[in-house]
Amino acid sequence: MKKLYMIDDSFLRLESRRQPLHIGMLMLFEPPEDATENFASDLAEKLRQSVKTAAPFNRLLVRKRGMHYWEEDSDFDLGHHFAHVSLPEPGRIRELLAMVSRLHCGHLDRSYPMWRIYLIEGIEDGRIAVYMKIHHSMVDGMTGIKMMINSMSPDRDASRDLPPFWEVETIKSSGGQVLPVPTPIVESIFAARKITRDSAKSMMGVARELRDSFVDYWRDNPDLAVAGTAPHTVFNQKVSGTRRFSAQSYSTPRIKTVAAALGGSSNDVILAMCAGALLRYLQELGEAPELPLSAAVPVSVRDRNNDTSDVANEVAFTIANLATNVADPVERLKAIKSSMDYNKERIRRLTPNQLQAYSAMMLMPGAMAMLLGRGSEKALASVVISHVPGPRQDLYWQGAKLSGLYPASLVIDQGALNITIISRHDTVDIGLIACRKAVPHMQRLLDYLEDSLSELEAAVAKLPKVELATYDSVNPKAVKPKAVKANAARSSKAKSVSGKSATESAVTSSKVSRKKSAASAGLTK
Amino acid sequence: MKKLYMIDDSFLRLESRRQPLHIGMLMLFEPPEDATENFASDLAEKLRQSVKTAAPFNRLLVRKRGMHYWEEDSDFDLGHHFAHVSLPEPGRIRELLAMVSRLHCGHLDRSYPMWRIYLIEGIEDGRIAVYMKIHHSMVDGMTGIKMMINSMSPDRDASRDLPPFWEVETIKSSGGQVLPVPTPIVESIFAARKITRDSAKSMMGVARELRDSFVDYWRDNPDLAVAGTAPHTVFNQKVSGTRRFSAQSYSTPRIKTVAAALGGSSNDVILAMCAGALLRYLQELGEAPELPLSAAVPVSVRDRNNDTSDVANEVAFTIANLATNVADPVERLKAIKSSMDYNKERIRRLTPNQLQAYSAMMLMPGAMAMLLGRGSEKALASVVISHVPGPRQDLYWQGAKLSGLYPASLVIDQGALNITIISRHDTVDIGLIACRKAVPHMQRLLDYLEDSLSELEAAVAKLPKVELATYDSVNPKAVKPKAVKANAARSSKAKSVSGKSATESAVTSSKVSRKKSAASAGLTK
């Protein structure tokens, strides 16, 4: 028996009827050319032969004297964890997203290890999908991705011999498919949970202590973005228990071209896409606030030397100013970049205790409002936008090529919309999850994200033919002028709009998908 | 705003993570001969055009100062309530039951009117299915059936013009398709909730008062079956939140033939089928108790003159001795009949106060154990077996013929298996719902139910050719000898085994289904 870390435990204790605290992941796969019609059924049958599980898939929650422990499950019942399902006719992406929205709602049963995996067939374009949900007390999002990728291979044939997801040990093993090491914004600092994990104090006791150092921290940094003072929007209200999930892939080369031309990281461009999309969404509702929107952006505080040691929730938050009070898209991007650069620098200089307070607070749903004593009207930030690195090469699972990896994260009171992004080598995969009642027609954000990117591309196209500053994402401090000609950027834009450039044709074109399947669609091949 | 009745309210207050307190219903329909391949999709599209709801489908739960009220929902969102789904290949009944098992697990979102309806396509035999779930605080099972039947018609063409389920007002209207009036075991008595519904007392306060009259009632009736002393079985333990649903139709003529030949009501024969099946199931687990199993059997206490007045939970329980300590199937049936006759007579003689105590206690999940002060080891009864009347003629919904109506009732701690039966004119439709973890491989009970019926038929076939006692189900007291010849019963048995009798061929043949699709299948056309 293994006692849960305090932060993992908080995901169990704070879970409620309206706020299930599991995370999800939708994966799309292209079966091989020679696949039979029964590819999905045969695969389901093959997977059903499995009779074992590895950590963390075999971790059963046990409660003793009010404390939670993980125990190895001795009664593996695959029929509970794995299901083969099918879309109704006509099997569009619209039907897929509706299904995943429903699947994501239900609570995971604590009488079983808290995960479920669905193999989905019946997509009209011939692809198959896998939707996985797992309780956030068991893994964080990064580990969730790793758990999936551990069963994939860059070699199609080799992938057929890999075991099902749940048979691959993610915790102790460093084998299998290794994720390209993420570049954490914060390196070599103490993870908050290293200090709190073995504490015998009650969560409330810890929370009281945290409050003091948190308030100190805040007082010393009056100019640190807008945390805790985000304007009230539809995203900041009590949530229902019903979710809507939307997802779409955007071309990595398009985003990198904009980043290179306008100065900033890909992450800055993605935040700017989100900013433009959120602003337009609120405008159409007639509820755009005057104050700038902000985003809570998780940053990894995982110790680089120790990143395969456990399936931990090693995450802190920073607050990005989304600068939606700035009308010009390029100026808005610059303001966002400036805010993010400032935040990164601040966090880098935090003492371990400050970071402990900071990140532990952020990790507890609802804890912010409680501790700041402000009631629930004020939000920490307008939305949560996470950006995590994904695989950097083509991967195969059971012979089928991975063509999309879309996360569904937490929706909580005051945080009715969550945007999570996975960067892969050819596409940036964005998963949006929201309270269906609080955020009506949320799927429209897919179109607005695309519009936002197009706006930035249009601005790039208008740039004078001079040398532009580019942004080195490997070494974020080294922003320096570089010999990139504006006409290169311009020609790239023209190609992407026509949908016929060499890079575009090989990757997901959200332009095409948008025209093809209207507001609620996405994920088009 | 309308305050909830106390008993309805208790279904909200006693609901928990592991014990969602909604009821479900699976309906099977045969599309018309000339139906196109898109019958289900077209139907889904037609139903999606609906923009209104009637009571109780429009009742939104509102909580104010700790009290629950119903309010009319002003924000109808059909996309939350209605979904079109499809079975994966090969679309056997096995896949259908697996899907319904999963659909039945999730809690209904209290931020919306608490019901959901799924239109299911992809069944290999061409039928379509509808699965409906609704919170037990909104309706009882009888009203649930009525809600469905109100959108059906005995005329195929006329049925196409009827509105969707949720547009038909079930509460005030006496129009639409009227259910054949059920024959309540108890007539003209006060319904428990008539007294308690407007009580301002807290539930615990009421419970304390109830205890006294309940204990009095119990003391005066030491020989009243085995309530509260049921032997401990797998059915009587803490439940998980995961369910398994199974269902099957059994021929009404077969059951009536046995009843007529051996003496007893169809209900007695069905209880005997359950008794035999449960005994065999426990024997195979190596856990058959020496003491007889018992069943909590709900009886309607609805006032006959008032049965369309509200969607109330108007039900009390009696306890049937399942006589599983009797080895001979015929003797067992006789013991069951004797127990049921005794119970009916006792309940008929109860004073209103006694009945109030009796039924209110039975209706509160977990309240029994709490009030009897016996801890949770002792069960009220081994299982719950409900038997409700269904339609007595062929019915059509949107042009498709109703071919099965299978209920899924409540699973609660100490009540890990629930068997609910709907009697129609040609088949007896049985729905079983259980905790997946507590009752492993529950679907085997479908086979054992069939075996049990066959055993009784075999006994009938061996009867000497003399006049047999028959049971008049319309007038239960009038048990009298009637001129039914044993050889008639025998020939009917022979036919049913061969599967070729005239009656058999027109109705569900569980014999055939059993051979065809093994343990987990049922519902075969």
Side-chain angles (χ1 to χ4, degrees):
Chain A
M1 286 214 314
K2 183 180 144 94
K3 190 158 159 277
L4 267 74
Y5 298 151
M6 194 195 78
I7 288 174
D8 296 339
D9 193 61
S10 73
F11 286 110
L12 293 168
R13 297 188 189 273
L14 293 168
E15 188 170 60
S16 70
R17 180 186 300 274
R18 294 178 295 103
Q19 294 183 162
L21 297 179
H22 55 257
I23 54 177
M25 178 91 68
L26 173 66
M27 288 164 282
L28 278 170
F29 298 96
E30 296 167 21
E33 298 273 324
D34 59 352
T36 67
E37 210 182 292
N38 298 326
F39 183 79
S41 297
D42 293 347
L43 182 51
E45 200 46 44
K46 176 182 172 190
L47 295 171
R48 275 204 202 94
Q49 305 309 313
S50 171
V51 291
K52 61 175 185 171
T53 45
F57 292 101
N58 61 2
R59 284 187 168 176
L60 181 66
L61 186 70
V62 179
R63 189 169 176 145
K64 279 195 182 151
R65 292 181 303 278
M67 308 288 277
H68 288 127
Y69 302 85
W70 295 128
E71 204 175 71
E72 199 169 316
D73 183 25
S74 59
D75 186 23
F76 180 47
D77 176 7
L78 185 59
H80 168 85
H81 296 286
F82 172 68
H84 174 208
V85 297
S86 180
L87 296 185
E89 292 291 333
R92 295 164 300 182
I93 294 301
R94 180 195 187 108
E95 277 78 34
L96 176 64
L97 295 176
M99 173 183 277
V100 173
S101 298
R102 285 195 306 272
L103 293 178
H104 195 70
C105 291
H107 287 69
L108 287 160
D109 187 346
R110 295 188 180 181
S111 311
Y112 293 83
M114 292 181 285
W115 60 274
R116 277 190 142 163
I117 289 178
Y118 299 81
L119 176 65
I120 305 171
E121 68 168 322
I123 307 176
E124 62 177 354
D125 64 18
R127 285 187 290 183
I128 59 169
V130 170
Y131 166 72
M132 188 264 309
K133 67 198 282 190
I134 185 164
H135 202 274
H136 208 341
S137 62
M138 295 180 76
V139 296
D140 63 15
M142 286 285 291
T143 312
I145 296 172
K146 189 188 285 179
M147 283 165 56
M148 299 292 101
I149 289 176
N150 278 345
S151 286
M152 302 181 200
S153 164
D155 182 81
R156 190 190 290 268
D157 289 332
S159 76
R160 291 194 177 91
D161 300 325
L162 291 176
F165 303 114
W166 52 85
E167 286 191 12
V168 183
E169 191 169 76
T170 307
I171 296 179
K172 287 175 196 162
S173 162
S174 61
Q177 180 66 24
V178 179
L179 250 192
V181 177
T183 309
I185 295 176
V186 181
E187 286 172 8
S188 311
I189 52 175
F190 285 75
R193 51 211 310 281
K194 292 247 171 75
I195 297 166
T196 55
R197 56 172 61 156
D198 297 318
S199 168
K201 295 169 192 169
S202 77
M203 203 177 65
M204 283 310 296
V206 171
R208 272 191 300 274
E209 288 198 11
L210 291 180
R211 180 183 174 150
D212 294 337
S213 46
F214 184 80
V215 169
D216 278 352
Y217 166 63
W218 211 252
R219 188 161 39 223
D220 291 346
N221 301 278
D223 49 359
L224 183 83
V226 288
T229 62
H232 183 83
T233 66
V234 292
F235 310 127
N236 313 114
Q237 56 178 304
K238 238 174 120 170
V239 294
S240 78
T242 307
R243 303 287 170 263
R244 191 193 291 270
F245 178 69
S246 276
Q248 179 65 288
S249 292
Y250 301 86
S251 150
T252 303
R254 283 177 70 196
I255 289 167
K256 288 202 164 160
T257 300
V258 170
L262 297 178
S265 65
S266 291
N267 190 55
D268 295 332
V269 173
I270 292 166
L271 286 175
M273 286 169 62
C274 293
L278 293 170
L279 180 60
R280 166 120 181 251
Y281 175 84
L282 292 173
Q283 281 169 343
E284 306 239 327
L285 280 187
E287 299 196 14
E290 282 182 35
L291 286 171
L293 297 174
S294 62
V297 179
V299 294
S300 171
V301 295
R302 194 186 289 262
D303 185 342
R304 216 180 203 180
N305 301 319
N306 198 22
D307 76 340
T308 55
S309 64
D310 205 332
V311 282
N313 285 303
E314 308 266 20
V315 173
F317 277 80
T318 185
I319 303 293
N321 177 8
L322 292 183
T324 45
N325 53 335
V326 179
D328 180 72
V330 176
E331 293 306 310
R332 192 187 303 141
L333 169 62
K334 284 179 182 163
I336 290 169
K337 170 177 155 41
S338 158
S339 156
M340 283 303 288
D341 289 349
Y342 178 83
N343 283 337
K344 288 175 207 165
E345 197 52 41
R346 291 296 319 181
I347 291 185
R348 220 184 295 272
R349 294 209 301 251
L350 283 184
T351 66
N353 277 348
Q354 285 169 328
L355 186 79
Q356 173 192 4
Y358 183 72
S359 67
M361 303 271 300
M362 304 299 182
L363 284 166
M364 293 181 209
M368 265 303 290
M370 180 181 78
L371 290 162
L372 292 175
R374 290 177 177 185
S376 57
E377 295 80 32
K378 280 292 177 184
L380 165 66
S382 307
V383 294
V384 177
I385 303 180
S386 307
H387 186 176
V388 292
R392 300 291 183 192
Q393 59 186 323
D394 284 345
L395 287 178
Y396 297 86
W397 174 68
Q398 302 292 332
K401 186 185 168 197
L402 177 69
S403 76
L405 191 60
Y406 309 93
S409 191
L410 304 185
V411 166
I412 56 174
D413 279 348
Q414 311 307 321
L417 171 67
N418 177 299
I419 303 176
T420 301
I421 299 113
I422 296 182
S423 286
R424 296 190 302 123
H425 57 300
D426 52 357
T427 62
V428 167
D429 298 344
I430 303 190
L432 301 101
I433 184 95
C435 165
R436 181 182 174 102
K437 212 171 178 75
V439 191
H441 308 293
M442 176 273 271
Q443 67 278 17
R444 292 178 185 164
L445 283 168
L446 296 182
D447 287 351
Y448 304 161
L449 282 166
E450 168 62 32
D451 293 342
S452 235
L453 179 55
S454 297
E455 267 181 6
L456 290 167
E457 287 177 322
V460 169
K462 284 181 195 150
L463 285 182
K465 292 184 185 177
V466 297
E467 287 190 354
L468 293 165
T470 61
Y471 189 77
D472 182 351
S473 64
V474 177
N475 185 5
K477 280 185 170 173
V479 181
K480 57 190 181 211
K482 210 176 175 182
V484 173
K485 294 206 173 141
N487 60 351
R490 188 181 295 158
S491 74
S492 157
K493 184 258 161 188
K495 276 176 192 162
S496 84
V497 170
S498 76
K500 282 173 187 163
S501 82
T503 46
E504 282 298 301
S505 65
V507 297
T508 301
S509 166
S510 52
K511 275 283 186 209
V512 174
S513 81
R514 212 179 126 214
K515 283 171 195 154
K516 193 169 157 190
S517 43
S520 71
L523 317 185
T524 313
K525 200 153 90 176
Chain B
M1 285 211 316
K2 183 180 143 92
K3 189 158 160 275
L4 267 74
Y5 299 150
M6 194 195 81
I7 288 173
D8 296 339
D9 194 63
S10 72
F11 286 111
L12 293 168
R13 298 188 187 271
L14 295 167
E15 188 171 62
S16 70
R17 180 187 301 276
R18 295 179 293 101
Q19 293 182 165
L21 297 180
H22 54 257
I23 54 177
M25 177 91 67
L26 173 66
M27 287 163 282
L28 277 170
F29 298 97
E30 296 166 21
E33 298 272 322
D34 59 351
T36 68
E37 210 181 293
N38 298 326
F39 183 78
S41 298
D42 294 347
L43 183 51
E45 200 48 43
K46 176 184 172 188
L47 296 172
R48 275 203 202 94
Q49 306 309 314
S50 171
V51 291
K52 60 175 186 173
T53 44
F57 292 102
N58 61 2
R59 285 186 167 176
L60 182 65
L61 187 70
V62 178
R63 190 172 173 144
K64 278 193 183 153
R65 293 181 302 280
M67 308 289 276
H68 287 126
Y69 302 85
W70 295 127
E71 205 175 69
E72 199 170 315
D73 184 26
S74 59
D75 185 25
F76 179 47
D77 176 7
L78 185 59
H80 168 84
H81 296 286
F82 172 68
H84 174 207
V85 298
S86 180
L87 295 185
E89 293 289 335
R92 295 163 298 181
I93 294 301
R94 181 194 187 110
E95 277 78 34
L96 177 64
L97 295 176
M99 172 183 278
V100 173
S101 298
R102 286 195 305 272
L103 293 178
H104 195 71
C105 290
H107 287 68
L108 287 161
D109 188 347
R110 295 189 182 183
S111 310
Y112 293 83
M114 294 182 283
W115 60 274
R116 278 191 140 164
I117 289 177
Y118 299 83
L119 175 65
I120 305 171
E121 68 168 324
I123 308 175
E124 63 177 352
D125 63 18
R127 284 187 290 183
I128 59 169
V130 169
Y131 165 73
M132 187 264 307
K133 66 198 280 191
I134 186 164
H135 203 274
H136 209 340
S137 62
M138 296 179 77
V139 295
D140 63 14
M142 285 284 292
T143 312
I145 298 172
K146 189 188 285 178
M147 284 166 59
M148 299 292 100
I149 289 176
N150 278 346
S151 286
M152 302 182 200
S153 165
D155 182 80
R156 190 191 290 268
D157 289 331
S159 75
R160 292 195 176 91
D161 300 325
L162 291 177
F165 302 115
W166 51 85
E167 288 190 13
V168 182
E169 191 169 77
T170 306
I171 296 179
K172 287 174 196 163
S173 161
S174 62
Q177 181 66 26
V178 179
L179 251 191
V181 177
T183 309
I185 294 176
V186 179
E187 285 171 11
S188 311
I189 51 172
F190 286 74
R193 49 210 310 275
K194 292 245 170 79
I195 299 167
T196 57
R197 55 172 62 157
D198 299 316
S199 167
K201 296 170 192 168
S202 76
M203 203 179 67
M204 282 311 296
V206 172
R208 272 191 299 275
E209 288 198 10
L210 291 180
R211 179 182 175 153
D212 294 339
S213 46
F214 183 80
V215 167
D216 279 352
Y217 165 63
W218 211 251
R219 188 161 35 223
D220 291 345
N221 299 279
D223 50 357
L224 183 82
V226 288
T229 60
H232 183 84
T233 66
V234 292
F235 310 126
N236 313 113
Q237 55 178 305
K238 239 175 119 170
V239 294
S240 78
T242 308
R243 303 285 170 264
R244 191 193 292 270
F245 177 70
S246 276
Q248 179 65 288
S249 292
Y250 301 85
S251 152
T252 303
R254 282 177 70 195
I255 289 167
K256 287 201 164 162
T257 300
V258 170
L262 296 177
S265 64
S266 292
N267 190 55
D268 295 331
V269 173
I270 292 166
L271 286 175
M273 285 169 63
C274 294
L278 293 170
L279 179 62
R280 167 120 179 249
Y281 175 84
L282 292 173
Q283 280 169 341
E284 304 239 327
L285 282 187
E287 299 196 13
E290 279 181 38
L291 287 171
L293 298 174
S294 63
V297 178
V299 294
S300 170
V301 295
R302 194 186 290 260
D303 183 342
R304 215 181 206 181
N305 302 319
N306 197 22
D307 77 341
T308 56
S309 64
D310 206 334
V311 282
N313 285 301
E314 309 267 20
V315 174
F317 277 80
T318 185
I319 304 293
N321 176 9
L322 292 183
T324 47
N325 54 335
V326 178
D328 179 70
V330 177
E331 292 305 312
R332 193 186 304 141
L333 169 62
K334 284 179 182 163
I336 290 169
K337 170 178 156 35
S338 158
S339 156
M340 285 302 288
D341 290 348
Y342 178 81
N343 284 337
K344 288 174 206 166
E345 197 51 41
R346 293 297 316 184
I347 291 185
R348 221 185 293 270
R349 294 209 301 250
L350 283 184
T351 67
N353 278 347
Q354 285 170 328
L355 187 79
Q356 174 192 5
Y358 183 73
S359 67
M361 304 272 300
M362 303 300 181
L363 284 166
M364 294 182 208
M368 265 304 289
M370 182 180 76
L371 289 162
L372 292 176
R374 289 179 178 184
S376 58
E377 295 79 32
K378 279 295 175 181
L380 165 65
S382 307
V383 293
V384 176
I385 304 180
S386 306
H387 187 179
V388 291
R392 299 291 182 190
Q393 58 186 322
D394 284 346
L395 287 177
Y396 296 87
W397 174 68
Q398 300 293 333
K401 185 184 166 196
L402 177 69
S403 76
L405 192 60
Y406 309 94
S409 191
L410 304 183
V411 166
I412 57 174
D413 280 348
Q414 312 306 322
L417 170 67
N418 177 299
I419 303 175
T420 302
I421 299 113
I422 297 181
S423 285
R424 296 190 303 124
H425 55 301
D426 52 357
T427 62
V428 167
D429 298 345
I430 304 189
L432 301 101
I433 185 92
C435 165
R436 183 182 171 102
K437 212 171 176 75
V439 191
H441 309 293
M442 175 273 273
Q443 67 277 17
R444 291 178 185 164
L445 284 168
L446 296 182
D447 287 350
Y448 304 161
L449 282 165
E450 169 60 32
D451 293 341
S452 236
L453 179 55
S454 297
E455 265 180 5
L456 291 167
E457 288 178 321
V460 170
K462 284 182 196 150
L463 286 182
K465 292 181 186 178
V466 296
E467 287 188 354
L468 293 167
T470 61
Y471 189 77
D472 181 351
S473 63
V474 176
N475 185 5
K477 279 186 169 173
V479 181
K480 58 190 179 213
K482 211 175 174 182
V484 173
K485 292 207 174 137
N487 61 349
R490 188 183 293 159
S491 74
S492 157
K493 185 258 162 188
K495 276 176 191 161
S496 84
V497 170
S498 76
K500 281 173 189 164
S501 83
T503 46
E504 281 297 302
S505 64
V507 297
T508 301
S509 165
S510 53
K511 273 286 185 207
V512 173
S513 81
R514 213 179 125 212
K515 281 172 194 155
K516 192 168 159 189
S517 43
S520 70
L523 318 185
T524 313
K525 200 155 86 173

